[in-house]
Amino acid sequence: AQGEGIDLFGRVYEYCLQNFAAETQSSGGEFYTPSCIVRTIVEVLQPFEGRVYDPACGSGGMFVQSAKFIQQHQGNLRNVTIYGQEFNANAWKMAHMNLAIRGLEADLGDSWGDSFGDDKHATKKFDFIMANPPFNMSEWGASRLADDVRWKYGVPPEGNANYAWIQHMVKSMASGNGRMAVVMPQGVLFRGNEEGRIREKLVKSDLVEAVVTLGDKLFYGTGLSPCFLILRRFKPA
């Protein structure tokens, strides 16, 4: 059947991405997030309908797993619209191919670009946000963005973009039942100074729904133990 052929082609492409990530080690993380982590996030958020967004989409794995989840639960893909952005030009091109192979339409911006300095979806709000951004990114344009409106909970430290990613995603959540899941190194749970103050304000704002810690050696090229944070605008009573 045609659908089975598309799925087989997609699985072959995913296999190639996985092996590329393994061979390139640290740089491979820019292209590929282990599918077990992506599947877990999708199962938690359950993006059945609405706008789905990934501001660091790599090769588009979050979108592919979201589509698979919807199909496995007899949902309708036409009820979901996909938006993404990616800074790495090669990964951005891979994402287009990855989605096209599976017949998925997405708005990934008019070109690759930096989500902090060149936000392609700055005026949009999203129902589901899922991302595995680069861990502990030291050069992210902090000096140019010190007064950015996204830093509602505090200015992220200049040498680490982790809480810049988190706040960028919080700003992008829909005002109704917006939900997000972001993969981070576990250091975001414990470090103090600016990060500690931002974390405290996020918790006191009742945005944090859950924290899930994961084991080490899950990512290619890094031994850091990751976690993922689930944040939500309004929690059910």
Side-chain angles (χ1 to χ4, degrees), residues 23-146:
E23 290 177 7
T24 56
Q25 295 184 0
S26 60
S27 64
E30 300 171 7
F31 300 86
Y32 183 81
T33 304
S35 59
C36 60
I37 294 177
V38 180
R39 286 199 305 272
T40 301
I41 287 174
V42 170
E43 290 283 347
V44 169
L45 290 190
Q46 300 185 4
F48 278 115
E49 61 181 7
R51 291 184 169 191
V52 178
Y53 173 54
D54 184 344
C57 68
S59 57
M62 295 285 185
F63 305 138
V64 171
Q65 289 298 332
S66 295
K68 289 180 179 179
F69 173 85
I70 292 167
Q71 292 170 326
Q72 289 165 0
H73 292 79
Q74 289 75 52
N76 190 337
L77 286 174
R78 285 180 292 186
N79 292 335
V80 172
T81 50
I82 294 172
Y83 298 86
Q85 184 160 346
E86 173 55 43
F87 180 71
N88 183 291
N90 289 329
W92 184 78
K93 294 171 185 176
M94 287 181 182
H96 278 282
M97 186 177 295
N98 201 12
L99 295 171
I101 285 170
R102 293 170 168 85
L104 300 174
E105 295 184 6
D107 180 352
L108 304 184
D110 55 0
S111 68
W112 54 89
D114 170 23
S115 289
F116 297 135
D118 183 22
D119 186 357
K120 303 293 185 182
H121 306 294
T123 62
K124 300 183 181 72
K125 299 292 182 180
F126 304 97
D127 303 291
F128 301 97
I129 305 176
M130 302 175 281
N132 171 33
F135 291 176
N136 302 321
M137 191 166 69
S138 59
E139 297 181 8
W140 58 278
S143 60
R144 302 191 306 273
L145 299 168

Side-chain angles (χ1 to χ4, degrees), residues 166-228:
I166 292 170
Q167 292 191 87
H168 170 81
M169 295 171 69
V170 169
K171 185 276 299 181
S172 301
M173 273 197 297
S175 58
N177 196 31
R179 299 181 70 190
M180 61 172 269
V182 57
V183 184
M184 283 281 148
Q186 290 187 21
V188 301
L189 305 177
F190 310 111
R191 283 194 295 266
N193 300 320
E194 295 98 330
E195 290 180 297
R197 288 188 284 272
I198 296 169
R199 182 172 61 247
E200 180 180 4
K201 290 180 181 178
L202 287 168
V203 172
K204 288 183 175 179
S205 297
D206 197 28
L207 283 169
V208 180
E209 183 173 31
V211 176
V212 180
T213 58
L214 305 167
D216 59 2
K217 300 179 182 178
L218 287 172
F219 285 88
Y220 302 107
T222 178
L224 291 173
S225 296
C227 64
F228 62 86

